[in-house]
Amino acid sequence: MSAYALLLLENTYLPGVLAVRKALSDTKAQFPVILLYSAENVNKDTIALLTASKLFSDLINIDDNILVSNSPHTLESVLNRPDLAYTLSKINLWRLVEYSKLVYLDADTLPLQNLDHLFARNFDASQVMAAPDCGWPDLFNSGFMVLQPNMTVFQELMDLYESTESFDGADQGLLNHYFNPDLYHGGISRWLRLPFIYNCTLNSHYEYFPALQRYFQDIKLFHFIGAKKPWDPTFASQLRKDPSLFKVADNKNVYQIWHEVYESIEVDGSSQTEALKITEKSEPDRVEAVEAVEAVETAVEPQPQPPIVHHQYYYKEPESEPEKYEENRGEAWKLNESRGPNKWEDASESEEEDDTRELDTRELVHSLSQLDVESPQDDYASTHPIFPWEKSAARQKPTRSFSARTSLPSSLTKIPFTAAFDDGSELENYIASRDQADRPETLQEIKQDEQLDEQESQELEKLAP
Ligand SMILES: O=c1ccn([C@@H]2O[C@H](COP(=O)(O)OP(=O)(O)O[C@H]3O[C@H](CO)[C@@H](O)[C@H](O)[C@H]3O)[C@@H](O)[C@H]2O)c(=O)[nH]1
Ligand SMILES: [Mn+2]
């Protein structure tokens, strides 16, 4: 006889067990479903309910061989899952020799398609069929396995459990150690690899989302690995905040798919909610906590959602130090855009280049030597005096003047001031207007403005009309 097998070590996984059971019915599974459980850790009402419901063809109490982690420090500080302290009890599957073949499913899996064909696969009792783990694909995930119960294998697994620490502190480490001992030499592996679609392990930090969408129609089973399970109320609130999480088809995400199955459960004529109320009686704190979370959630107004961006599926939070500001990176250093050239930088760079090229001293000296030097036709300052010394008779007359039309080096003619006064008349107009506007009114003002010394002041007074 062959069967599907589930495991319930204590009460909190009951919603999962019920959902898997319902999903197996939905996929029209033709094989019986059995449940391994710990009578000591699952409350009595739950057991009574499960017995009465006839959901399982066999309820197998494994209290005589509950296996506690043989490496609790690994569970706590490496795997960070102290809650998995008893999952090594999965080994008990191999002692159920009244079954010729078992398809084992974790309580946090969700079969989407019929799996009966797996019972027809022939393999040796020393082998196991399983799919790769998404976290380390050279290892198999032990949440979905096809196996043949066998006392030799069971005993060897028990010996390994007693002699060697499981490298993950739980069953997946030990089972890979046994069935998949040497990752480098495929020949001696006793792991028969199932495609990933048989146990699609979901990871909220990273998922190859395009493949999840591409192969969604082919996926046979989802597996909600990790500490947070779909029935966890805090997960429901996270999902409400980010409805795009693991969206796969028909605008639904995988958790909504799980919840649809869960909502459709009926246990012994009552809904799963009523069934769970009975089974949760012995855990008042948890029920209150769940109700409190739900109350808070219903009170919150639904907010419009921003456009869906799926980068969370490709991006893992960096574990290294955050990048620090460095001056040479420019102000936009935090933006993910590559640093492009700025117009002004280009301009200044090219000007710099021009300058170094055109302000070559030899060229400059040559240009200056070409300047059109004329003898002064008019001493502009003496006909348009502004300052007292310009009016002074003792003032030294200029001997040279430069024509406005000279051939300056091109770099100098680029300077706007030069260009503006290229035309001599413009220069005269400018000075004339300045003359009007700026001419000081009184002797006192002139003395102050020009900070004249004693002698200059006296000269000024002599000149004053
Ligand atoms: O308090 C508990 C804990 C576990 N289980 C059962 O044990 C299974 C394994 O625990 P789970 O939380 O599903 O573990 P995962 O998050 O799936 O972690 C991975 O690592 C575990 C330890 O190696 C393996 O058992 C899993 O198959 C593997 O997917 C559950 O599905 C349940 O059937 C309970 O009934 N009650
Ligand atoms: Mn699991």
mmCIF file of all heavy atoms in Angstrom, residues 65 190 228 318 368:
data_model
loop_
_atom_site.group_PDB
_atom_site.id
_atom_site.type_symbol
_atom_site.label_atom_id
_atom_site.label_comp_id
_atom_site.label_asym_id
_atom_site.label_seq_id
_atom_site.Cartn_x
_atom_site.Cartn_y
_atom_site.Cartn_z
ATOM 1 N N ASN A 65 9.310 7.989 19.572
ATOM 2 C CA ASN A 65 10.598 8.261 18.917
ATOM 3 C C ASN A 65 10.684 9.723 18.414
ATOM 4 O O ASN A 65 11.017 9.988 17.262
ATOM 5 C CB ASN A 65 10.811 7.273 17.754
ATOM 6 C CG ASN A 65 12.257 7.254 17.298
ATOM 7 O OD1 ASN A 65 13.177 7.413 18.103
ATOM 8 N ND2 ASN A 65 12.478 7.090 15.994
ATOM 9 N N ARG A 190 22.506 8.978 -3.540
ATOM 10 C CA ARG A 190 21.274 8.176 -3.529
ATOM 11 C C ARG A 190 20.055 9.092 -3.614
ATOM 12 O O ARG A 190 18.948 8.712 -3.311
ATOM 13 C CB ARG A 190 21.252 7.318 -2.258
ATOM 14 C CG ARG A 190 22.377 6.298 -2.315
ATOM 15 C CD ARG A 190 22.259 5.281 -1.214
ATOM 16 N NE ARG A 190 22.702 5.814 0.062
ATOM 17 C CZ ARG A 190 22.712 5.104 1.192
ATOM 18 N NH1 ARG A 190 22.274 3.868 1.186
ATOM 19 N NH2 ARG A 190 23.151 5.636 2.302
ATOM 20 N N LYS A 228 8.163 32.316 8.515
ATOM 21 C CA LYS A 228 6.808 32.857 8.378
ATOM 22 C C LYS A 228 5.991 32.000 7.437
ATOM 23 O O LYS A 228 6.362 31.819 6.273
ATOM 24 C CB LYS A 228 6.871 34.287 7.857
ATOM 25 C CG LYS A 228 7.099 35.278 8.966
ATOM 26 C CD LYS A 228 6.736 36.681 8.554
ATOM 27 C CE LYS A 228 6.904 37.601 9.744
ATOM 28 N NZ LYS A 228 6.810 38.999 9.345
ATOM 29 N N PRO A 318 22.256 44.266 0.452
ATOM 30 C CA PRO A 318 23.694 44.033 0.615
ATOM 31 C C PRO A 318 24.058 43.862 2.081
ATOM 32 O O PRO A 318 23.492 44.533 2.933
ATOM 33 C CB PRO A 318 24.337 45.295 0.034
ATOM 34 C CG PRO A 318 23.268 46.314 0.061
ATOM 35 C CD PRO A 318 21.958 45.603 -0.006
ATOM 36 N N LEU A 368 51.054 90.364 -29.716
ATOM 37 C CA LEU A 368 51.184 91.714 -29.162
ATOM 38 C C LEU A 368 52.110 92.572 -30.017
ATOM 39 O O LEU A 368 51.892 93.767 -30.199
ATOM 40 C CB LEU A 368 51.707 91.659 -27.719
ATOM 41 C CG LEU A 368 50.681 91.118 -26.704
ATOM 42 C CD1 LEU A 368 51.341 90.891 -25.350
ATOM 43 C CD2 LEU A 368 49.498 92.059 -26.574
#
